[in-house]
Amino acid sequence: MHRQLISHLAHADHPIASPVSAANLDRLLTRAKLPAGARILDLGCGEGAWLLRALELYPDATADGVDIGQEALASAAESAGRLGLSDRLRLHQVPADSFEATQPYDLVLCVGATHAFGALADALDGVRRHLRPGGLALVGEGFWERPPSKELLELLGSDPDEYAGLAGTVARARDAGYATVYAHTSTRDEWDEYEWSWTGTLTRWALDNPGPDGDEALAAADEHRDMWLDGYRDVLGFVTLLLRPTDR
Ligand SMILES: C[S@@+](CC[C@H](N)C(=O)[O-])C[C@H]1O[C@@H](n2cnc3c(N)ncnc32)[C@H](O)[C@@H]1O
């Protein structure tokens, strides 16, 4: 089983692929106060949870979703059809950093997908390329709630500078030429809901599908849960920043 399929199965009960609740996703999108006929772009859109909801909240908006994952985009297309949103959503299977648009956007999202560009600063530069003057970015990024131990960094294959603290993350956005105009810091309940859903839904699927695929899915769920409970729980945070470019 490849990683995309594992992720698709694991997200069945929590289609937002970040530790953010549906209510807080709504709050962030509503706070963007998009103009009539808004154009929205999501770089690393996954299964389209943010875009689909944005199209529901802004009924005359149109959107483009970009991802490299075939399963994720197929799922986004299927959900768009079910919700009657297909005519306002275009999906593109290309790397986020090579997506070319003909017109700029009022809102560009990159939530839990900054790694598609490299570091946060690279993602913020990539997002800026697509923004119209006065447009907004919604960027979800990890941060260290507490300094990570050496063991945790090894477990995650990370280095201490991959993330900053919360203040440092806002400073990184400022240094990249953005003002933070609103934000949501994921709560422990949101993290728990996300991780119990990811690991639990995959575990249920594994038990319903005995055999080599089930064994592999169960091992992936166990490994993920161990890494969370014995590793990054309460150490890794997640913040979704609503950003507006400044004149640098
Ligand atoms: C954690 S998921 C976040 C999905 C979505 N933004 C959300 O919050 O529900 C990260 C997504 O980034 C996508 N991704 C990873 N590398 C990418 C790249 N180079 N270009 C586009 N998408 C990429 C993955 O396929 C995955 O769907």
Side-chain angles (χ1 to χ4, degrees):
M1 288 176 99
H2 56 88
R3 196 65 211 166
Q4 277 179 31
L5 181 55
I6 295 262
S7 171
H8 173 67
L9 296 170
H11 284 108
D13 293 317
H14 195 302
I16 304 165
S18 327
V20 176
S21 69
N24 285 323
L25 180 150
D26 273 18
R27 202 155 55 81
L28 284 157
L29 288 172
T30 304
R31 184 60 69 95
K33 301 178 201 169
L34 295 181
R39 286 171 47 78
I40 304 170
L41 171 65
D42 192 342
L43 297 167
C45 65
E47 304 199 358
W50 291 81
L51 279 184
L52 294 166
R53 188 61 185 144
L55 290 174
E56 287 179 330
L57 291 171
Y58 296 97
D60 56 3
T62 55
D64 288 281
V66 175
D67 205 285
I68 49 171
Q70 195 179 350
E71 265 102 2
L73 290 174
S75 169
E78 191 273 319
S79 301
R82 189 167 24 82
L83 297 168
L85 299 169
S86 302
D87 57 336
R88 292 193 286 130
L89 177 64
R90 293 166 299 264
L91 296 167
H92 311 265
Q93 191 181 358
V94 287
D97 60 0
S98 56
F99 175 69
E100 296 294 342
T102 49
Q103 289 177 57
Y105 293 87
D106 298 283
L107 177 68
V108 179
L109 298 101
C110 184
V111 182
T114 53
H115 55 279
F117 293 89
L120 175 61
D122 305 313
L124 292 170
D125 287 347
V127 163
R128 178 193 287 272
R129 234 166 38 81
H130 295 290
L131 280 176
R132 71 157 175 78
L136 292 166
L138 197 52
V139 176
E141 173 72 335
F143 70 92
W144 298 124
E145 300 248 22
R146 294 198 235 136
S149 65
K150 200 164 147 280
E151 292 74 28
L152 177 60
L153 290 172
E154 268 166 28
L155 199 66
L156 295 175
S158 180
D159 70 74
D161 291 337
E162 179 172 357
Y163 303 116
L166 183 56
T169 305
V170 172
R172 284 183 180 184
R174 189 184 55 226
D175 293 347
Y178 287 88
T180 297
V181 296
Y182 188 54
H184 169 67
T185 312
S186 294
T187 63
R188 189 188 222 233
D189 282 351
E190 283 175 301
W191 268 106
D192 281 1
E193 176 62 16
Y194 179 63
E195 301 291 4
W196 288 126
S197 292
W198 201 106
T199 55
T201 300
L202 190 58
T203 298
R204 273 178 90 155
W205 185 91
L207 297 177
D208 286 342
N209 291 274
D213 283 353
D215 290 348
E216 210 179 314
L218 195 59
D222 286 347
E223 187 191 343
H224 187 115
R225 191 188 304 103
D226 288 349
M227 202 186 290
W228 167 48
L229 292 177
D230 288 334
Y232 61 84
R233 189 169 189 244
D234 295 333
V235 180
L236 185 63
F238 192 81
V239 63
T240 310
L241 301 167
L242 187 62
L243 300 167
R244 190 159 152 181
T246 53
D247 297 328
R248 296 195 263 181

